[in-house]
Amino acid sequence: LAKTTQPISMDSYEGQEVNITCSHNNIATNDYITWYQQFPSQGPRFIIQGYKTKVTNEVASLFIPADRKSSTLSLPRVSLSDTAVYYCLLNDYKLSFGAGTTVTVRA
Amino acid sequence: AAGVIQSPRHLIKEKRETATLKCYPIPRHDTVYWYQQGPGQDPQFLISFYEKMQSDKGSIPDRFSAQQFSDYHSELNMSSLELGDSALYFCASRSRSKNIQYFGAGTRLSVL
């Protein structure tokens, strides 16, 4: 049973904000929510991690509501180089990758 | 900053041959994970080690084995290779203090 559910694909244009929502209805108390970015033939790259409320770093923001049953990754002002697959994961210890979201940024 | 180092980056083998993939974790990281990513698929967890002991096992075939050495590097040994073993193999490392896995660039294994 998939632990997380996210859209299969999203299209955007350069300069826009991209928001990817992930559902995780059965999140455990000790689960953190972690997002990775993966380019073709490269290893997943850590983007951001959070437990509750809002987390922001230099590349993204992560919004987590109080019930923690979903989370939203926000990528501000995307560029062509942000075209990649984005994975939402619950990591209690090992990472169980489900189907990620392919984000395509167009000029 | 130092990253996870994997070698070799590319490997070509024939069916029924053996292969050894190596992973050098980030310094002071004590946990190593191995993942397999087939063409067009998502990464799948294979096995992990903490302080040189196997800590978890995923969908790793019996033909594969792995270990973590005293210097914390890890090796994934693959025997009786099959065409379906052709994939990208990623290693990730993590420290006890931070629950974040950092991935290497991967080894692309092609079985002909």
PDB file of all heavy atoms in Angstrom, chain A residues 32 36 38 41-44 46 49 87 91-95 97-100, chain B residues 31 33 35 37 42-43 45 48 55-56 88 90 94 99-101 103-104 108:
ATOM      1  N   TYR A  32       8.966  11.870   9.379  1.00  0.00           N
ATOM      2  CA  TYR A  32       9.253  13.172   8.814  1.00  0.00           C
ATOM      3  C   TYR A  32       8.840  13.144   7.345  1.00  0.00           C
ATOM      4  O   TYR A  32       8.787  12.088   6.720  1.00  0.00           O
ATOM      5  CB  TYR A  32      10.740  13.505   8.921  1.00  0.00           C
ATOM      6  CG  TYR A  32      11.133  14.016  10.278  1.00  0.00           C
ATOM      7  CD1 TYR A  32      11.252  13.159  11.363  1.00  0.00           C
ATOM      8  CD2 TYR A  32      11.403  15.372  10.481  1.00  0.00           C
ATOM      9  CE1 TYR A  32      11.615  13.635  12.610  1.00  0.00           C
ATOM     10  CE2 TYR A  32      11.774  15.853  11.721  1.00  0.00           C
ATOM     11  CZ  TYR A  32      11.869  14.982  12.777  1.00  0.00           C
ATOM     12  OH  TYR A  32      12.223  15.458  14.012  1.00  0.00           O
ATOM     13  N   TYR A  36      12.588  14.971  -2.390  1.00  0.00           N
ATOM     14  CA  TYR A  36      13.801  14.825  -3.188  1.00  0.00           C
ATOM     15  C   TYR A  36      13.498  15.234  -4.626  1.00  0.00           C
ATOM     16  O   TYR A  36      12.377  15.103  -5.110  1.00  0.00           O
ATOM     17  CB  TYR A  36      14.294  13.376  -3.174  1.00  0.00           C
ATOM     18  CG  TYR A  36      15.002  12.961  -1.900  1.00  0.00           C
ATOM     19  CD1 TYR A  36      14.288  12.519  -0.795  1.00  0.00           C
ATOM     20  CD2 TYR A  36      16.393  13.012  -1.807  1.00  0.00           C
ATOM     21  CE1 TYR A  36      14.935  12.152   0.369  1.00  0.00           C
ATOM     22  CE2 TYR A  36      17.046  12.631  -0.647  1.00  0.00           C
ATOM     23  CZ  TYR A  36      16.303  12.203   0.432  1.00  0.00           C
ATOM     24  OH  TYR A  36      16.951  11.840   1.593  1.00  0.00           O
ATOM     25  N   GLN A  38      14.959  14.546  -8.597  1.00  0.00           N
ATOM     26  CA  GLN A  38      15.833  13.666  -9.368  1.00  0.00           C
ATOM     27  C   GLN A  38      15.819  14.042 -10.843  1.00  0.00           C
ATOM     28  O   GLN A  38      14.753  14.105 -11.464  1.00  0.00           O
ATOM     29  CB  GLN A  38      15.444  12.194  -9.202  1.00  0.00           C
ATOM     30  CG  GLN A  38      16.447  11.252  -9.857  1.00  0.00           C
ATOM     31  CD  GLN A  38      16.117   9.781  -9.686  1.00  0.00           C
ATOM     32  OE1 GLN A  38      14.960   9.402  -9.610  1.00  0.00           O
ATOM     33  NE2 GLN A  38      17.157   8.941  -9.660  1.00  0.00           N
ATOM     34  N   SER A  41      19.055   9.913 -14.801  1.00  0.00           N
ATOM     35  CA  SER A  41      20.339   9.227 -14.610  1.00  0.00           C
ATOM     36  C   SER A  41      21.201   9.838 -13.505  1.00  0.00           C
ATOM     37  O   SER A  41      22.418   9.631 -13.494  1.00  0.00           O
ATOM     38  CB  SER A  41      21.136   9.202 -15.926  1.00  0.00           C
ATOM     39  OG  SER A  41      20.425   8.498 -16.909  1.00  0.00           O
ATOM     40  N   GLN A  42      20.580  10.579 -12.592  1.00  0.00           N
ATOM     41  CA  GLN A  42      21.315  11.127 -11.454  1.00  0.00           C
ATOM     42  C   GLN A  42      20.666  10.646 -10.154  1.00  0.00           C
ATOM     43  O   GLN A  42      19.515  10.233 -10.138  1.00  0.00           O
ATOM     44  CB  GLN A  42      21.319  12.654 -11.487  1.00  0.00           C
ATOM     45  CG  GLN A  42      22.093  13.241 -12.645  1.00  0.00           C
ATOM     46  CD  GLN A  42      22.228  14.751 -12.535  1.00  0.00           C
ATOM     47  OE1 GLN A  42      22.179  15.308 -11.428  1.00  0.00           O
ATOM     48  NE2 GLN A  42      22.392  15.406 -13.659  1.00  0.00           N
ATOM     49  N   GLY A  43      21.447  10.707  -9.081  1.00  0.00           N
ATOM     50  CA  GLY A  43      20.905  10.310  -7.788  1.00  0.00           C
ATOM     51  C   GLY A  43      19.914  11.337  -7.264  1.00  0.00           C
ATOM     52  O   GLY A  43      20.044  12.531  -7.548  1.00  0.00           O
ATOM     53  N   PRO A  44      18.924  10.891  -6.499  1.00  0.00           N
ATOM     54  CA  PRO A  44      17.987  11.849  -5.895  1.00  0.00           C
ATOM     55  C   PRO A  44      18.736  12.871  -5.048  1.00  0.00           C
ATOM     56  O   PRO A  44      19.682  12.528  -4.337  1.00  0.00           O
ATOM     57  CB  PRO A  44      17.085  10.954  -5.042  1.00  0.00           C
ATOM     58  CG  PRO A  44      17.144   9.610  -5.707  1.00  0.00           C
ATOM     59  CD  PRO A  44      18.559   9.502  -6.203  1.00  0.00           C
ATOM     60  N   PHE A  46      18.373  15.779  -2.085  1.00  0.00           N
ATOM     61  CA  PHE A  46      17.536  16.279  -0.993  1.00  0.00           C
ATOM     62  C   PHE A  46      17.161  17.728  -1.234  1.00  0.00           C
ATOM     63  O   PHE A  46      18.010  18.557  -1.579  1.00  0.00           O
ATOM     64  CB  PHE A  46      18.298  16.147   0.332  1.00  0.00           C
ATOM     65  CG  PHE A  46      17.640  16.855   1.486  1.00  0.00           C
ATOM     66  CD1 PHE A  46      16.566  16.286   2.131  1.00  0.00           C
ATOM     67  CD2 PHE A  46      18.105  18.097   1.912  1.00  0.00           C
ATOM     68  CE1 PHE A  46      15.970  16.938   3.204  1.00  0.00           C
ATOM     69  CE2 PHE A  46      17.509  18.747   2.972  1.00  0.00           C
ATOM     70  CZ  PHE A  46      16.439  18.170   3.621  1.00  0.00           C
ATOM     71  N   GLN A  49      12.978  19.079   4.247  1.00  0.00           N
ATOM     72  CA  GLN A  49      12.349  18.139   5.166  1.00  0.00           C
ATOM     73  C   GLN A  49      11.614  18.910   6.254  1.00  0.00           C
ATOM     74  O   GLN A  49      12.081  19.975   6.687  1.00  0.00           O
ATOM     75  CB  GLN A  49      13.408  17.236   5.819  1.00  0.00           C
ATOM     76  CG  GLN A  49      12.855  16.173   6.748  1.00  0.00           C
ATOM     77  CD  GLN A  49      13.964  15.367   7.418  1.00  0.00           C
ATOM     78  OE1 GLN A  49      14.658  15.835   8.308  1.00  0.00           O
ATOM     79  NE2 GLN A  49      14.144  14.137   6.942  1.00  0.00           N
ATOM     80  N   TYR A  87       9.963  13.699  -5.580  1.00  0.00           N
ATOM     81  CA  TYR A  87       9.425  12.630  -4.734  1.00  0.00           C
ATOM     82  C   TYR A  87       9.112  13.153  -3.339  1.00  0.00           C
ATOM     83  O   TYR A  87       9.923  13.847  -2.722  1.00  0.00           O
ATOM     84  CB  TYR A  87      10.446  11.494  -4.593  1.00  0.00           C
ATOM     85  CG  TYR A  87      10.700  10.700  -5.840  1.00  0.00           C
ATOM     86  CD1 TYR A  87      11.814  10.948  -6.640  1.00  0.00           C
ATOM     87  CD2 TYR A  87       9.841   9.659  -6.213  1.00  0.00           C
ATOM     88  CE1 TYR A  87      12.054  10.197  -7.777  1.00  0.00           C
ATOM     89  CE2 TYR A  87      10.083   8.906  -7.346  1.00  0.00           C
ATOM     90  CZ  TYR A  87      11.192   9.187  -8.128  1.00  0.00           C
ATOM     91  OH  TYR A  87      11.426   8.435  -9.256  1.00  0.00           O
ATOM     92  N   ASN A  91      10.051   9.338   5.860  1.00  0.00           N
ATOM     93  CA  ASN A  91      11.202   8.540   6.258  1.00  0.00           C
ATOM     94  C   ASN A  91      11.257   8.344   7.753  1.00  0.00           C
ATOM     95  O   ASN A  91      11.646   9.213   8.523  1.00  0.00           O
ATOM     96  CB  ASN A  91      12.509   9.121   5.727  1.00  0.00           C
ATOM     97  CG  ASN A  91      12.748  10.536   6.164  1.00  0.00           C
ATOM     98  OD1 ASN A  91      11.859  11.350   6.131  1.00  0.00           O
ATOM     99  ND2 ASN A  91      13.967  10.832   6.568  1.00  0.00           N
ATOM    100  N   ASP A  92      10.818   7.148   8.131  1.00  0.00           N
ATOM    101  CA  ASP A  92      11.045   6.761   9.508  1.00  0.00           C
ATOM    102  C   ASP A  92      12.445   6.137   9.606  1.00  0.00           C
ATOM    103  O   ASP A  92      13.122   6.274  10.602  1.00  0.00           O
ATOM    104  CB  ASP A  92       9.984   5.761   9.977  1.00  0.00           C
ATOM    105  CG  ASP A  92       9.793   4.602   9.010  1.00  0.00           C
ATOM    106  OD1 ASP A  92      10.473   4.585   7.962  1.00  0.00           O
ATOM    107  OD2 ASP A  92       8.970   3.721   9.294  1.00  0.00           O
ATOM    108  N   TYR A  93      12.868   5.479   8.575  1.00  0.00           N
ATOM    109  CA  TYR A  93      14.226   4.943   8.523  1.00  0.00           C
ATOM    110  C   TYR A  93      14.661   4.780   7.065  1.00  0.00           C
ATOM    111  O   TYR A  93      15.468   5.531   6.572  1.00  0.00           O
ATOM    112  CB  TYR A  93      14.312   3.604   9.256  1.00  0.00           C
ATOM    113  CG  TYR A  93      15.713   3.072   9.339  1.00  0.00           C
ATOM    114  CD1 TYR A  93      16.697   3.757  10.045  1.00  0.00           C
ATOM    115  CD2 TYR A  93      16.074   1.904   8.695  1.00  0.00           C
ATOM    116  CE1 TYR A  93      17.998   3.291  10.101  1.00  0.00           C
ATOM    117  CE2 TYR A  93      17.373   1.429   8.752  1.00  0.00           C
ATOM    118  CZ  TYR A  93      18.323   2.119   9.457  1.00  0.00           C
ATOM    119  OH  TYR A  93      19.607   1.655   9.514  1.00  0.00           O
ATOM    120  N   LYS A  94      14.089   3.783   6.367  1.00  0.00           N
ATOM    121  CA  LYS A  94      14.435   3.652   4.963  1.00  0.00           C
ATOM    122  C   LYS A  94      13.431   4.445   4.145  1.00  0.00           C
ATOM    123  O   LYS A  94      12.364   4.803   4.615  1.00  0.00           O
ATOM    124  CB  LYS A  94      14.427   2.200   4.514  1.00  0.00           C
ATOM    125  CG  LYS A  94      13.053   1.539   4.519  1.00  0.00           C
ATOM    126  CD  LYS A  94      13.162   0.126   3.970  1.00  0.00           C
ATOM    127  CE  LYS A  94      11.801  -0.547   3.881  1.00  0.00           C
ATOM    128  NZ  LYS A  94      11.317  -0.966   5.190  1.00  0.00           N
ATOM    129  N   LEU A  95      13.798   4.766   2.917  1.00  0.00           N
ATOM    130  CA  LEU A  95      12.934   5.528   2.036  1.00  0.00           C
ATOM    131  C   LEU A  95      12.185   4.583   1.110  1.00  0.00           C
ATOM    132  O   LEU A  95      12.791   3.749   0.464  1.00  0.00           O
ATOM    133  CB  LEU A  95      13.759   6.510   1.212  1.00  0.00           C
ATOM    134  CG  LEU A  95      14.485   7.595   2.000  1.00  0.00           C
ATOM    135  CD1 LEU A  95      15.342   8.436   1.065  1.00  0.00           C
ATOM    136  CD2 LEU A  95      13.508   8.468   2.755  1.00  0.00           C
ATOM    137  N   PHE A  97      10.229   4.820  -2.062  1.00  0.00           N
ATOM    138  CA  PHE A  97       9.862   5.690  -3.168  1.00  0.00           C
ATOM    139  C   PHE A  97       8.600   5.180  -3.832  1.00  0.00           C
ATOM    140  O   PHE A  97       8.511   4.017  -4.238  1.00  0.00           O
ATOM    141  CB  PHE A  97      10.988   5.725  -4.208  1.00  0.00           C
ATOM    142  CG  PHE A  97      12.175   6.539  -3.805  1.00  0.00           C
ATOM    143  CD1 PHE A  97      13.170   5.984  -3.021  1.00  0.00           C
ATOM    144  CD2 PHE A  97      12.315   7.857  -4.213  1.00  0.00           C
ATOM    145  CE1 PHE A  97      14.278   6.731  -2.644  1.00  0.00           C
ATOM    146  CE2 PHE A  97      13.419   8.596  -3.847  1.00  0.00           C
ATOM    147  CZ  PHE A  97      14.403   8.045  -3.060  1.00  0.00           C
ATOM    148  N   GLY A  98       7.625   6.066  -3.959  1.00  0.00           N
ATOM    149  CA  GLY A  98       6.460   5.769  -4.771  1.00  0.00           C
ATOM    150  C   GLY A  98       6.628   6.500  -6.086  1.00  0.00           C
ATOM    151  O   GLY A  98       7.724   6.917  -6.447  1.00  0.00           O
ATOM    152  N   ALA A  99       5.548   6.642  -6.783  1.00  0.00           N
ATOM    153  CA  ALA A  99       5.592   7.362  -8.053  1.00  0.00           C
ATOM    154  C   ALA A  99       5.758   8.847  -7.771  1.00  0.00           C
ATOM    155  O   ALA A  99       4.987   9.435  -7.012  1.00  0.00           O
ATOM    156  CB  ALA A  99       4.317   7.118  -8.842  1.00  0.00           C
ATOM    157  N   GLY A 100       6.753   9.435  -8.348  1.00  0.00           N
ATOM    158  CA  GLY A 100       7.002  10.846  -8.138  1.00  0.00           C
ATOM    159  C   GLY A 100       6.195  11.716  -9.088  1.00  0.00           C
ATOM    160  O   GLY A 100       5.412  11.225  -9.906  1.00  0.00           O
TER     161      GLY A 100
ATOM    162  N   THR B  31      25.486   5.090   8.446  1.00  0.00           N
ATOM    163  CA  THR B  31      24.447   4.255   7.848  1.00  0.00           C
ATOM    164  C   THR B  31      24.508   4.379   6.330  1.00  0.00           C
ATOM    165  O   THR B  31      24.614   5.476   5.789  1.00  0.00           O
ATOM    166  CB  THR B  31      23.053   4.677   8.342  1.00  0.00           C
ATOM    167  OG1 THR B  31      23.047   4.692   9.775  1.00  0.00           O
ATOM    168  CG2 THR B  31      21.994   3.698   7.859  1.00  0.00           C
ATOM    169  N   TYR B  33      22.734   2.934   2.611  1.00  0.00           N
ATOM    170  CA  TYR B  33      21.571   2.333   1.965  1.00  0.00           C
ATOM    171  C   TYR B  33      21.905   2.048   0.503  1.00  0.00           C
ATOM    172  O   TYR B  33      22.620   2.820  -0.140  1.00  0.00           O
ATOM    173  CB  TYR B  33      20.371   3.286   1.991  1.00  0.00           C
ATOM    174  CG  TYR B  33      19.957   3.758   3.364  1.00  0.00           C
ATOM    175  CD1 TYR B  33      20.633   4.801   3.995  1.00  0.00           C
ATOM    176  CD2 TYR B  33      18.870   3.192   4.012  1.00  0.00           C
ATOM    177  CE1 TYR B  33      20.252   5.250   5.255  1.00  0.00           C
ATOM    178  CE2 TYR B  33      18.471   3.642   5.263  1.00  0.00           C
ATOM    179  CZ  TYR B  33      19.169   4.666   5.882  1.00  0.00           C
ATOM    180  OH  TYR B  33      18.784   5.112   7.125  1.00  0.00           O
ATOM    181  N   TYR B  35      19.963   1.273  -3.270  1.00  0.00           N
ATOM    182  CA  TYR B  35      18.710   1.328  -4.017  1.00  0.00           C
ATOM    183  C   TYR B  35      18.989   0.902  -5.462  1.00  0.00           C
ATOM    184  O   TYR B  35      20.066   1.131  -6.004  1.00  0.00           O
ATOM    185  CB  TYR B  35      18.127   2.745  -4.031  1.00  0.00           C
ATOM    186  CG  TYR B  35      17.684   3.258  -2.680  1.00  0.00           C
ATOM    187  CD1 TYR B  35      18.598   3.845  -1.819  1.00  0.00           C
ATOM    188  CD2 TYR B  35      16.364   3.161  -2.274  1.00  0.00           C
ATOM    189  CE1 TYR B  35      18.203   4.315  -0.574  1.00  0.00           C
ATOM    190  CE2 TYR B  35      15.950   3.633  -1.029  1.00  0.00           C
ATOM    191  CZ  TYR B  35      16.885   4.209  -0.193  1.00  0.00           C
ATOM    192  OH  TYR B  35      16.487   4.675   1.039  1.00  0.00           O
ATOM    193  N   GLN B  37      17.311   1.284  -9.372  1.00  0.00           N
ATOM    194  CA  GLN B  37      16.330   1.990 -10.186  1.00  0.00           C
ATOM    195  C   GLN B  37      16.397   1.481 -11.611  1.00  0.00           C
ATOM    196  O   GLN B  37      17.344   1.758 -12.352  1.00  0.00           O
ATOM    197  CB  GLN B  37      16.558   3.502 -10.144  1.00  0.00           C
ATOM    198  CG  GLN B  37      15.470   4.298 -10.853  1.00  0.00           C
ATOM    199  CD  GLN B  37      15.595   5.795 -10.638  1.00  0.00           C
ATOM    200  OE1 GLN B  37      16.693   6.312 -10.416  1.00  0.00           O
ATOM    201  NE2 GLN B  37      14.476   6.506 -10.686  1.00  0.00           N
ATOM    202  N   ASP B  42      10.876   3.920 -10.409  1.00  0.00           N
ATOM    203  CA  ASP B  42      11.286   4.667  -9.229  1.00  0.00           C
ATOM    204  C   ASP B  42      12.318   3.854  -8.446  1.00  0.00           C
ATOM    205  O   ASP B  42      12.350   2.641  -8.546  1.00  0.00           O
ATOM    206  CB  ASP B  42      10.072   4.960  -8.345  1.00  0.00           C
ATOM    207  CG  ASP B  42       8.959   5.661  -9.107  1.00  0.00           C
ATOM    208  OD1 ASP B  42       9.250   6.724  -9.686  1.00  0.00           O
ATOM    209  OD2 ASP B  42       7.841   5.133  -9.149  1.00  0.00           O
ATOM    210  N   PRO B  43      13.161   4.498  -7.668  1.00  0.00           N
ATOM    211  CA  PRO B  43      14.154   3.760  -6.887  1.00  0.00           C
ATOM    212  C   PRO B  43      13.498   2.786  -5.920  1.00  0.00           C
ATOM    213  O   PRO B  43      12.472   3.106  -5.310  1.00  0.00           O
ATOM    214  CB  PRO B  43      14.893   4.869  -6.130  1.00  0.00           C
ATOM    215  CG  PRO B  43      14.666   6.106  -6.924  1.00  0.00           C
ATOM    216  CD  PRO B  43      13.293   5.958  -7.506  1.00  0.00           C
ATOM    217  N   PHE B  45      14.307   0.250  -2.611  1.00  0.00           N
ATOM    218  CA  PHE B  45      15.248  -0.030  -1.533  1.00  0.00           C
ATOM    219  C   PHE B  45      15.706  -1.486  -1.589  1.00  0.00           C
ATOM    220  O   PHE B  45      14.890  -2.406  -1.721  1.00  0.00           O
ATOM    221  CB  PHE B  45      14.583   0.274  -0.192  1.00  0.00           C
ATOM    222  CG  PHE B  45      15.350  -0.197   1.002  1.00  0.00           C
ATOM    223  CD1 PHE B  45      16.514   0.445   1.390  1.00  0.00           C
ATOM    224  CD2 PHE B  45      14.922  -1.290   1.733  1.00  0.00           C
ATOM    225  CE1 PHE B  45      17.235   0.005   2.493  1.00  0.00           C
ATOM    226  CE2 PHE B  45      15.626  -1.726   2.846  1.00  0.00           C
ATOM    227  CZ  PHE B  45      16.786  -1.075   3.212  1.00  0.00           C
ATOM    228  N   SER B  48      20.232  -2.076   3.817  1.00  0.00           N
ATOM    229  CA  SER B  48      20.906  -1.001   4.531  1.00  0.00           C
ATOM    230  C   SER B  48      21.786  -1.569   5.641  1.00  0.00           C
ATOM    231  O   SER B  48      21.552  -2.686   6.127  1.00  0.00           O
ATOM    232  CB  SER B  48      19.907  -0.004   5.124  1.00  0.00           C
ATOM    233  OG  SER B  48      19.074  -0.633   6.080  1.00  0.00           O
ATOM    234  N   SER B  55      20.890  -3.630   8.742  1.00  0.00           N
ATOM    235  CA  SER B  55      19.835  -3.060   9.567  1.00  0.00           C
ATOM    236  C   SER B  55      18.451  -3.260   8.974  1.00  0.00           C
ATOM    237  O   SER B  55      17.468  -3.272   9.719  1.00  0.00           O
ATOM    238  CB  SER B  55      20.079  -1.566   9.791  1.00  0.00           C
ATOM    239  OG  SER B  55      20.275  -0.912   8.555  1.00  0.00           O
ATOM    240  N   ASP B  56      18.351  -3.395   7.659  1.00  0.00           N
ATOM    241  CA  ASP B  56      17.056  -3.591   7.027  1.00  0.00           C
ATOM    242  C   ASP B  56      17.274  -4.209   5.651  1.00  0.00           C
ATOM    243  O   ASP B  56      18.344  -4.053   5.050  1.00  0.00           O
ATOM    244  CB  ASP B  56      16.306  -2.263   6.907  1.00  0.00           C
ATOM    245  CG  ASP B  56      14.809  -2.431   6.834  1.00  0.00           C
ATOM    246  OD1 ASP B  56      14.341  -3.577   6.644  1.00  0.00           O
ATOM    247  OD2 ASP B  56      14.090  -1.423   6.955  1.00  0.00           O
ATOM    248  N   LEU B  88      20.241   1.413 -12.675  1.00  0.00           N
ATOM    249  CA  LEU B  88      21.076   2.330 -11.915  1.00  0.00           C
ATOM    250  C   LEU B  88      21.052   1.884 -10.460  1.00  0.00           C
ATOM    251  O   LEU B  88      19.976   1.585  -9.911  1.00  0.00           O
ATOM    252  CB  LEU B  88      20.537   3.753 -12.004  1.00  0.00           C
ATOM    253  CG  LEU B  88      20.981   4.614 -13.176  1.00  0.00           C
ATOM    254  CD1 LEU B  88      20.106   5.837 -13.295  1.00  0.00           C
ATOM    255  CD2 LEU B  88      22.432   5.009 -13.033  1.00  0.00           C
ATOM    256  N   PHE B  90      22.013   3.055  -6.704  1.00  0.00           N
ATOM    257  CA  PHE B  90      22.389   4.210  -5.892  1.00  0.00           C
ATOM    258  C   PHE B  90      22.729   3.784  -4.477  1.00  0.00           C
ATOM    259  O   PHE B  90      22.107   2.892  -3.912  1.00  0.00           O
ATOM    260  CB  PHE B  90      21.241   5.225  -5.821  1.00  0.00           C
ATOM    261  CG  PHE B  90      20.916   5.869  -7.133  1.00  0.00           C
ATOM    262  CD1 PHE B  90      19.747   5.564  -7.802  1.00  0.00           C
ATOM    263  CD2 PHE B  90      21.789   6.782  -7.697  1.00  0.00           C
ATOM    264  CE1 PHE B  90      19.440   6.162  -9.006  1.00  0.00           C
ATOM    265  CE2 PHE B  90      21.500   7.383  -8.907  1.00  0.00           C
ATOM    266  CZ  PHE B  90      20.320   7.075  -9.562  1.00  0.00           C
ATOM    267  N   ARG B  94      23.716   8.317   5.687  1.00  0.00           N
ATOM    268  CA  ARG B  94      23.008   9.133   6.667  1.00  0.00           C
ATOM    269  C   ARG B  94      23.756   9.099   7.985  1.00  0.00           C
ATOM    270  O   ARG B  94      24.400   8.110   8.324  1.00  0.00           O
ATOM    271  CB  ARG B  94      21.613   8.548   6.879  1.00  0.00           C
ATOM    272  CG  ARG B  94      20.643   9.412   7.652  1.00  0.00           C
ATOM    273  CD  ARG B  94      19.440   8.618   8.069  1.00  0.00           C
ATOM    274  NE  ARG B  94      19.750   7.791   9.238  1.00  0.00           N
ATOM    275  CZ  ARG B  94      18.839   7.326  10.078  1.00  0.00           C
ATOM    276  NH1 ARG B  94      17.572   7.592   9.881  1.00  0.00           N
ATOM    277  NH2 ARG B  94      19.189   6.595  11.100  1.00  0.00           N
ATOM    278  N   ASN B  99      18.102  12.879  10.098  1.00  0.00           N
ATOM    279  CA  ASN B  99      17.330  11.872   9.394  1.00  0.00           C
ATOM    280  C   ASN B  99      17.194  12.222   7.911  1.00  0.00           C
ATOM    281  O   ASN B  99      16.092  12.307   7.377  1.00  0.00           O
ATOM    282  CB  ASN B  99      15.955  11.753  10.052  1.00  0.00           C
ATOM    283  CG  ASN B  99      15.205  10.526   9.562  1.00  0.00           C
ATOM    284  OD1 ASN B  99      15.787   9.643   8.947  1.00  0.00           O
ATOM    285  ND2 ASN B  99      13.909  10.496   9.807  1.00  0.00           N
ATOM    286  N   ILE B 100      18.334  12.439   7.259  1.00  0.00           N
ATOM    287  CA  ILE B 100      18.338  12.784   5.833  1.00  0.00           C
ATOM    288  C   ILE B 100      19.337  11.878   5.134  1.00  0.00           C
ATOM    289  O   ILE B 100      20.478  11.747   5.572  1.00  0.00           O
ATOM    290  CB  ILE B 100      18.743  14.252   5.615  1.00  0.00           C
ATOM    291  CG1 ILE B 100      17.740  15.194   6.287  1.00  0.00           C
ATOM    292  CG2 ILE B 100      18.845  14.562   4.123  1.00  0.00           C
ATOM    293  CD1 ILE B 100      18.196  16.641   6.286  1.00  0.00           C
ATOM    294  N   GLN B 101      18.893  11.250   4.053  1.00  0.00           N
ATOM    295  CA  GLN B 101      19.787  10.433   3.247  1.00  0.00           C
ATOM    296  C   GLN B 101      20.337  11.265   2.094  1.00  0.00           C
ATOM    297  O   GLN B 101      19.595  11.972   1.417  1.00  0.00           O
ATOM    298  CB  GLN B 101      19.046   9.213   2.687  1.00  0.00           C
ATOM    299  CG  GLN B 101      18.634   8.207   3.747  1.00  0.00           C
ATOM    300  CD  GLN B 101      18.046   6.955   3.149  1.00  0.00           C
ATOM    301  OE1 GLN B 101      18.386   6.549   2.040  1.00  0.00           O
ATOM    302  NE2 GLN B 101      17.154   6.327   3.894  1.00  0.00           N
ATOM    303  N   PHE B 103      22.408  10.963  -1.455  1.00  0.00           N
ATOM    304  CA  PHE B 103      22.646   9.959  -2.479  1.00  0.00           C
ATOM    305  C   PHE B 103      23.919  10.229  -3.279  1.00  0.00           C
ATOM    306  O   PHE B 103      24.293  11.388  -3.507  1.00  0.00           O
ATOM    307  CB  PHE B 103      21.467   9.910  -3.462  1.00  0.00           C
ATOM    308  CG  PHE B 103      20.251   9.229  -2.908  1.00  0.00           C
ATOM    309  CD1 PHE B 103      19.430   9.874  -1.999  1.00  0.00           C
ATOM    310  CD2 PHE B 103      19.924   7.936  -3.289  1.00  0.00           C
ATOM    311  CE1 PHE B 103      18.306   9.249  -1.473  1.00  0.00           C
ATOM    312  CE2 PHE B 103      18.809   7.299  -2.783  1.00  0.00           C
ATOM    313  CZ  PHE B 103      18.000   7.957  -1.870  1.00  0.00           C
ATOM    314  N   GLY B 104      24.524   9.141  -3.737  1.00  0.00           N
ATOM    315  CA  GLY B 104      25.629   9.245  -4.664  1.00  0.00           C
ATOM    316  C   GLY B 104      25.108   9.386  -6.091  1.00  0.00           C
ATOM    317  O   GLY B 104      23.907   9.370  -6.333  1.00  0.00           O
ATOM    318  N   ARG B 108      25.783   2.798 -13.156  1.00  0.00           N
ATOM    319  CA  ARG B 108      24.909   2.248 -14.190  1.00  0.00           C
ATOM    320  C   ARG B 108      25.448   0.884 -14.603  1.00  0.00           C
ATOM    321  O   ARG B 108      26.545   0.784 -15.144  1.00  0.00           O
ATOM    322  CB  ARG B 108      24.832   3.162 -15.407  1.00  0.00           C
ATOM    323  CG  ARG B 108      23.929   2.597 -16.510  1.00  0.00           C
ATOM    324  CD  ARG B 108      23.775   3.551 -17.681  1.00  0.00           C
ATOM    325  NE  ARG B 108      23.045   4.753 -17.322  1.00  0.00           N
ATOM    326  CZ  ARG B 108      21.720   4.823 -17.218  1.00  0.00           C
ATOM    327  NH1 ARG B 108      20.991   3.756 -17.427  1.00  0.00           N
ATOM    328  NH2 ARG B 108      21.155   5.970 -16.916  1.00  0.00           N
TER     329      ARG B 108
END
